[in-house]
Amino acid sequence: MKVKLKSQLFDSDFLRKLERLVISSKITLADGASGNRKSRAKGSSVEFSDYREYSIGDDFKRIDWNAYGRFEKLFIKLFMEEREAPIHIFLDNSKSMDWGEPNKSIASRRLAAALSYISLASFDKVSLICMNNTVDKFKPDLRGKNSFSQVLNLMESLEYTGTTDIYNTVSKYNLKSGKGISIVISDFFTQGKLIDMINYLQFKKQEVYICHILAPQEVSPEIGMSLRLIDIESGEFRDVTSSPALIKTYKKVYNKFITGIEEICKGRGVNYIFMESSVPAEKMVRMVVNGV
Amino acid sequence: MTFYSPWAFLGLITIPVIIILYLLKQRHKDYTVSSLFLWEEVLKDLEANAPWQKLKKNLLMILQIIVALLLVFALAKPFLNAVGSDTPHVIVALDTSLSMKATDVGESRFEEAKIRANKLISNLKPGTAVTLISMGKSVNIEENLSSDRARLLDKLSKLNASNTTSDIEDAESLISSIVKQNPESRVVVFGDRAINIYGVDVEFSNISNNGDNFAVTMMSHTKTEKGITVLSRISNYSTKDATIPVSLYVDKNVFDAKNVDIKKGETANVYWNEILPEASLIETRIDIKDSLTMDNSAWNAVNNTKKNKAILISESNVFVEKVAGLYNGIELYKTGYESSDEWKGYDLYIFDGFLPKKIPHDGNVMVFNPNENELFEVLETVEYPVLEEMDESIFRYVEGFDFSIGKTKTLKVPTWGRAILEVNEGCAAFSGIYDNRRVMVFGFDVHNTDIPLTPAFPIIMANSLDWLLPDSINNAQNVYSGEGIEFNIGPNTQKAFVETPSGEKIQIAPPFPVKVFDNTEEPGLYTLRQKTAESEQEFYFTVNVPSQSESNLTQSEDFVEDSNKAQTEEKQKPVNTGMNLQPILLWLIVIVLLIEWWVYTNGV
């Protein structure tokens, strides 16, 4: 695979690992259908299947005007429906993701890129949507490994701005109907209801993967003395004085936060994968693929 | 409440300083986090669990302000006023008598008195002058008008209870005179016996728990044919009848033991018979634990009466010879004038009508009708003089006996002597101590008087011989702790020591004449050793505690009649002490600092 390396974000070592991942990993729909198989159903793909007579209500665009010229009858072209898995990767690029050591933005982009590569290699249709409080950038309907460079370009050029409002933004994104897989990568530091987003995606017949990425400093914060905590997104601040009680309460709140998300996902049959930004990308991918 | 260093309130300026420092310190270090999402929850949770959480932010500051306030107050020397605490002068008197050693109050009554006095002095307002008086055998001013608290407390801590009786009268007159000089004085007495001074308001801190006590209140012995008989008087000063085990120790070995039943408040006599006459030290001991142990023993020393060798140098004086021969304790020798060189080694030389040129070097001297000599001057011979004045001790018991002198020589009283018999013409007899030897001179020959024909003669002779041959100790019978003893050191003694019960050797002579020996604080057996050129003489005497006056620890309760009691109680005002708040504030500071430390480390 030849990709022009723009930065250390995706080094050759990472791409080599991706190749190996393709062999061992594959994201599959729950009913077992895969993207690179043709189905018997007639649909709207490019591959011609059959003709039939026009009947009221059919799409005008599908009328075969050449056939009309020959037979002076209206015929509709039928095409083969491809049962490929449309995979949507929603990547949170709000400012809060650009934080931590190792940085969550790097880990999340690597994960998104890796998942895209695997999916493209499996002839799945990949849509990559980067969003903060609105859809920032997106690459819809990428097919084939050749499109991977677009993924990389997008990842490389991604800027982290804005606030997190991933639930609303996902809900506003117009998903095409049909079964598919939606992977949401975020730190989920956001107001709003996760359940609404899951409901929406499931309504759109999506199999949902929640990839929760947090920096190790968010899991166990190291705070000494008095600090003014400044929100990287909003600039708001709170003054805290370090104490065992503070850390203890943080742990409590943190556990509540994680278990809250976990329970919602479990209740809705959603795959929830928690990972710290220190976890290597290939391991993250395996976690996603194996649904752990 | 009074503040004695109000300038310390300037320290209040530290409080705004603390607040400013906190405001400066409050600038938190900026720390960017990915989101306040969780932190908001954390802070909400913390506030919910500790409603005073908002206060907590400033808790350390508040604690520090409290510490600063307390420190300022402590430095301002706050003093809680009490009645009488405004007096500029306080007389603190402590009873140091034997009864204060009783252990019925705390460690002992005296320790308790010291604790109370310490509290009083510590809590006096700064600048108050204190006169510290100890009331023992002698009343001493330990510190006079001192405001130096540390010095006073040091002096106080060094005071000890004695084995003596306290001289209450002396104390009363001393305190009374101090109060006259400083009318604005407050008098506080710590003791077990109230002091009443006319016109002085005495605050009395009664330190007594009416402890049970048994005591040997008296002990004496007599020599009989069957040996020594000892009488011990045992007193029960407790509140109930008791059977008291009493032992008699002879030369530190148990001789006999008895159980004596004594009703409360009563005294019993215990006799011990047939004690070997060779015994030198007899001790009566009560073998029971009580409030005061010092009075559970009493001692008696037994001295073998020494025969004094006396020589009468006379041609013939049957009167003197007979009387001196009858005198108890004298071994009389008689000689003529001729053998004057051999006169040596006698305790008493009686020269009758003759005095050698060379008076013997040893022994005391009695002279009748002297001739010219070097020792004193003989003036003239007078006839039928009129008797004018007689010495009280030598002519004791002879008033009323009429006697007259036919002829006598008048004598010039030397500087070392004093007249004992004066007639209208001059001195007819004198006595004195010359070169550590007792000399008594009568200017007449007894044959020239009618004295030998009257009963007065043996009495005068006995009195004279008593003076000339004294016991080693004048008042050896009842020596109590702290009392002074006059020793009569023998004329040949070159060196004299007293050995105390604890074995300490104290030299009392030279220098001569011997001073009064008052190192008698310790009860028990004392030995007086007199060294002459040839030999060493030992004389035993004992010192006992004044149990008769000190052993009754319940005096103030049971032995005071009801009406008196009420009066006494009325007079006994409780001791008012002001309160120095400084130590309390300092303790509070320590406590607040500990709380602050705890808050800081636990981050409550």
Side-chain angles (χ1 to χ4, degrees):
Chain A
M1 190 177 62
K2 288 173 187 172
V3 175
K4 192 184 173 188
L5 294 176
K6 286 188 177 175
S7 72
Q8 290 300 306
L9 185 57
F10 304 110
D11 53 17
S12 53
D13 188 43
F14 173 71
L15 295 171
R16 259 199 304 281
K17 280 174 185 167
L18 284 184
E19 284 289 349
R20 282 202 297 276
L21 279 170
V22 172
I23 299 164
S24 60
S25 313
K26 194 166 193 180
I27 305 169
T28 51
L29 276 168
D31 58 6
S34 60
N36 56 354
R37 272 192 200 158
K38 289 167 186 166
S39 79
R40 287 167 192 268
K42 305 288 182 279
S44 54
S45 72
V46 289
E47 205 165 328
F48 175 73
S49 175
D50 205 353
Y51 284 104
R52 72 166 170 80
E53 278 192 26
Y54 172 77
S55 60
I56 297 164
D58 282 340
D59 193 350
F60 289 128
K61 289 182 202 166
R62 292 193 186 177
I63 294 171
D64 190 343
W65 295 107
N66 292 331
Y68 179 74
R70 274 200 205 159
F71 307 108
E72 292 190 348
K73 263 188 175 178
L74 291 171
F75 284 97
I76 299 285
K77 262 184 178 176
L78 295 178
F79 294 89
M80 189 71 79
E81 171 82 65
E82 279 180 25
R83 186 57 66 89
E84 60 194 355
I87 294 181
H88 296 89
I89 299 175
F90 295 95
L91 177 64
D92 182 356
N93 74 324
S94 66
K95 195 89 180 85
S96 69
M97 288 295 283
D98 186 16
W99 192 88
E101 189 59 44
N103 202 299
K104 287 190 284 181
S105 65
I106 294 172
S108 61
R109 275 186 281 175
R110 283 183 171 179
L111 175 64
L115 290 172
S116 304
Y117 185 80
I118 294 164
S119 305
L120 291 172
S122 316
F123 305 103
D124 286 325
K125 190 169 72 179
V126 173
S127 296
L128 196 54
I129 304 115
C130 302
M131 49 177 44
N132 34 53
N133 48 345
T134 170
V135 175
D136 189 26
K137 282 179 179 171
F138 71 104
K139 290 276 175 197
D141 302 340
L142 297 171
R143 279 192 184 83
K145 278 168 49 173
N146 289 337
S147 319
F148 186 59
S149 59
Q150 292 183 49
V151 173
L152 291 185
N153 283 336
L154 177 66
M155 295 287 102
E156 292 283 2
S157 64
L158 198 59
E159 280 176 10
Y160 282 78
T161 53
T163 56
T164 318
D165 192 9
I166 195 157
Y167 303 153
N168 276 326
T169 318
V170 167
S171 304
K172 279 174 198 160
Y173 181 74
N174 192 17
L175 275 170
K176 284 172 187 166
S177 52
K179 283 188 177 179
I181 293 171
S182 286
I183 302 169
V184 186
I185 304 169
S186 174
D187 53 12
F188 296 102
F189 284 145
T190 174
Q191 303 297 331
K193 287 184 179 169
L194 174 68
I195 190 94
D196 290 347
M197 184 188 81
I198 293 172
N199 282 343
Y200 171 74
L201 290 172
Q202 287 186 335
F203 172 71
K204 288 284 183 180
K205 294 178 183 167
Q206 295 294 307
E207 193 173 334
V208 185
Y209 285 79
I210 300 286
C211 297
H212 196 181
I213 294 192
L214 289 179
Q217 296 81 17
E218 288 162 336
V219 176
S220 15
E222 291 157 3
I223 293 203
M225 288 309 291
S226 295
L227 289 180
R228 171 158 290 180
L229 304 175
I230 301 171
D231 192 315
I232 199 169
E233 290 180 356
S234 63
E236 283 178 41
F237 61 84
R238 294 285 180 279
D239 292 335
V240 295
T241 306
S242 169
S243 70
L246 183 81
I247 300 297
K248 207 173 135 193
T249 315
Y250 182 89
K251 281 274 174 197
K252 204 174 92 187
V253 170
Y254 167 80
N255 286 333
K256 200 176 140 198
F257 171 62
I258 298 291
T259 49
I261 296 177
E262 221 167 21
E263 271 169 21
I264 290 169
C265 293
K266 208 173 159 190
R268 301 296 305 182
V270 167
N271 298 298
Y272 173 73
I273 304 105
F274 172 81
M275 47 196 96
E276 284 187 26
S277 58
S278 53
V279 176
E282 62 270 25
K283 198 181 168 192
M284 284 185 181
V285 171
R286 274 198 206 100
M287 286 163 83
V288 174
V289 167
N290 300 329
V292 181
Chain B
M1 175 114 77
T2 317
F3 295 97
Y4 289 101
S5 301
W7 54 264
F9 284 111
L10 286 174
L12 286 176
I13 207 161
T14 52
I15 289 164
V17 170
I18 290 173
I19 295 171
I20 289 167
L21 283 174
Y22 259 85
L23 288 177
L24 291 174
K25 188 203 159 225
Q26 286 279 321
R27 285 201 178 159
H28 291 75
K29 201 177 152 193
D30 286 356
Y31 182 70
T32 308
V33 290
S34 55
S35 173
L36 289 176
F37 183 71
L38 292 180
W39 288 110
E40 300 258 13
E41 287 288 316
V42 169
L43 293 176
K44 247 189 257 173
D45 197 85
L46 277 178
E47 277 174 31
N49 284 339
W52 46 280
Q53 196 61 34
K54 280 185 183 165
L55 252 185
K56 191 240 145 181
K57 266 190 189 170
N58 297 320
L59 185 60
L60 290 177
M61 184 183 77
I62 291 165
L63 287 172
Q64 278 169 16
I65 289 173
I66 291 171
V67 168
L69 273 173
L70 288 172
L71 197 64
V72 166
F73 272 84
L75 287 174
K77 293 188 187 169
F79 192 82
L80 210 60
N81 292 351
V83 183
S85 63
D86 285 339
T87 46
H89 178 222
V90 178
I91 299 169
V92 178
L94 270 85
D95 187 352
T96 61
S97 65
L98 171 68
S99 59
M100 292 299 284
K101 283 189 175 175
T103 53
D104 58 338
V105 183
E107 199 180 318
S108 76
R109 289 183 177 184
F110 193 70
E111 289 307 314
E112 176 68 19
K114 276 161 82 171
I115 291 166
R116 291 193 197 174
N118 188 310
K119 196 180 153 205
L120 172 79
I121 293 171
S122 305
N123 286 321
L124 284 175
K125 74 174 192 185
T128 306
V130 176
T131 298
L132 183 64
I133 294 173
S134 65
M135 307 186 295
K137 176 82 185 162
S138 59
V139 181
N140 296 322
I141 297 181
E142 304 289 339
E143 275 291 307
N144 192 21
L145 288 167
S146 169
S147 312
D148 186 345
R149 202 66 62 81
R151 200 177 145 85
L152 278 164
L153 294 181
D154 181 53
K155 269 276 161 67
L156 179 69
S157 69
K158 282 178 184 160
L159 285 182
N160 284 313
S162 65
N163 290 328
T164 65
T165 318
S166 55
D167 192 339
I168 297 290
E169 278 180 23
D170 202 0
E172 284 172 353
S173 64
L174 177 70
I175 291 171
S176 174
S177 63
I178 295 175
V179 173
K180 264 180 203 160
Q181 281 176 2
N182 302 282
E184 276 190 51
S185 292
R186 177 180 168 208
V187 181
V188 187
V189 175
F190 296 91
D192 51 9
R193 242 162 284 179
I195 284 186
N196 294 313
I197 306 169
Y198 178 73
V200 179
D201 204 3
V202 178
E203 289 172 48
F204 176 61
S205 179
N206 187 18
I207 302 160
S208 166
N209 211 5
N210 299 319
D212 286 350
N213 188 32
F214 311 111
V216 184
T217 41
M218 204 273 278
M219 187 180 168
S220 74
H221 70 274
T222 48
K223 282 187 178 175
T224 61
E225 287 169 7
K226 289 181 177 175
I228 302 168
T229 300
V230 172
L231 163 67
S232 307
R233 295 194 70 163
I234 313 294
S235 297
N236 177 358
Y237 292 117
S238 75
T239 49
K240 48 188 178 289
D241 302 347
T243 302
I244 304 169
V246 184
S247 312
L248 188 81
Y249 288 73
V250 175
D251 291 332
K252 295 184 178 171
N253 297 316
V254 184
F255 175 78
D256 199 356
K258 290 175 182 175
N259 280 327
V260 190
D261 294 318
I262 309 174
K263 287 183 178 161
K264 61 176 178 179
E266 290 189 359
T267 299
N269 292 333
V270 184
Y271 290 94
W272 318 82
N273 297 313
E274 295 177 29
I275 299 162
L276 289 176
E278 294 82 39
S280 62
L281 176 68
I282 306 167
E283 180 189 354
T284 307
R285 201 185 287 178
I286 293 174
D287 300 316
I288 197 167
K289 217 174 173 243
D290 57 9
S291 294
L292 187 59
T293 47
M294 288 303 292
D295 61 4
N296 290 357
S297 292
W299 293 267
N300 252 206
V302 182
N303 285 297
N304 289 320
T305 40
K306 184 191 133 202
K307 286 264 181 190
N308 287 305
K309 273 167 79 181
I311 184 162
L312 172 65
I313 302 113
S314 170
E315 282 301 302
S316 82
N317 192 334
V318 71
F319 300 116
V320 174
E321 186 186 332
K322 286 286 173 203
V323 171
L326 285 171
Y327 185 79
N328 220 353
I330 276 190
E331 212 177 306
L332 187 70
Y333 299 85
K334 200 187 140 198
T335 182
Y337 297 151
E338 60 279 355
S339 53
S340 61
D341 292 346
E342 294 162 19
W343 303 332
K344 205 162 90 178
Y346 294 94
D347 296 301
L348 177 65
Y349 297 88
I350 307 171
F351 294 101
D352 181 36
F354 162 80
L355 202 57
K357 277 183 185 165
K358 236 176 143 189
I359 293 171
H361 293 295
D362 55 350
N364 301 318
V365 180
M366 190 180 197
V367 187
F368 290 97
N369 188 22
N371 49 355
E372 293 288 331
N373 63 83
E374 291 166 352
L375 200 59
F376 54 89
E377 207 177 324
V378 180
L379 299 174
E380 52 178 342
T381 306
V382 292
E383 286 189 353
Y384 304 110
V386 181
L387 298 180
E388 284 192 339
E389 219 172 318
M390 289 181 276
D391 180 77
E392 276 179 17
S393 66
I394 301 297
F395 293 91
R396 193 169 30 166
Y397 312 126
V398 297
E399 298 92 349
F401 292 110
D402 196 19
F403 58 86
S404 50
I405 297 167
K407 194 168 88 180
T408 182
K409 287 171 181 162
T410 53
L411 309 163
K412 188 182 177 189
V413 183
T415 49
W416 44 266
R418 65 188 179 88
I420 53 173
L421 178 68
E422 287 195 52
V423 293
N424 57 343
E425 315 275 341
C427 172
F430 73 86
S431 69
I433 298 172
Y434 172 76
D435 194 18
N436 200 32
R437 292 156 65 190
R438 295 181 173 223
V439 178
M440 189 180 279
V441 183
F442 293 94
F444 50 82
D445 183 347
V446 288
H447 295 100
N448 290 332
T449 68
D450 62 357
I451 300 172
L453 307 176
T454 67
F457 184 62
I459 301 174
I460 294 170
M461 279 301 285
N463 287 342
S464 303
L465 291 171
D466 275 351
W467 183 79
L468 285 163
L469 297 168
D471 285 337
S472 291
I473 294 178
N474 275 352
N475 47 352
Q477 280 305 309
N478 288 308
V479 181
Y480 289 127
S481 289
E483 283 185 348
I485 301 176
E486 279 179 53
F487 291 116
N488 298 310
I489 299 300
N492 307 325
T493 302
Q494 291 172 344
K495 237 180 182 181
F497 295 94
V498 172
E499 202 177 309
T500 67
S502 52
E504 195 189 346
K505 269 191 174 177
I506 301 166
Q507 184 175 324
I508 54 165
F512 296 97
V514 179
K515 285 180 190 158
V516 172
F517 178 77
D518 57 2
N519 212 332
T520 55
E521 179 68 23
E522 190 184 356
L525 177 74
Y526 286 70
T527 312
L528 168 69
R529 291 182 204 281
Q530 302 184 57
K531 278 186 183 170
T532 59
E534 297 97 35
S535 64
E536 185 177 300
Q537 267 184 30
E538 282 185 347
F539 181 82
Y540 303 109
F541 64 99
T542 53
V543 171
N544 290 310
V545 294
S547 49
Q548 274 168 328
S549 54
E550 290 293 320
S551 293
N552 189 356
L553 304 176
T554 56
Q555 245 166 356
S556 57
E557 288 280 320
D558 295 346
F559 294 81
V560 177
E561 283 179 28
D562 280 356
S563 58
N564 289 342
K565 191 176 147 189
Q567 212 179 355
T568 323
E569 272 178 9
E570 201 180 4
K571 280 182 182 171
Q572 288 174 15
K573 286 189 172 181
V575 177
N576 284 315
T577 55
M579 201 171 183
N580 185 357
L581 297 176
Q582 197 175 41
I584 298 171
L585 290 173
L586 290 174
W587 275 113
L588 278 176
I589 289 172
V590 172
I591 291 167
V592 176
L593 284 174
L594 282 174
I595 293 172
E596 190 175 339
W597 173 74
W598 185 79
V599 168
Y600 180 73
T601 50
N602 288 284
V604 180

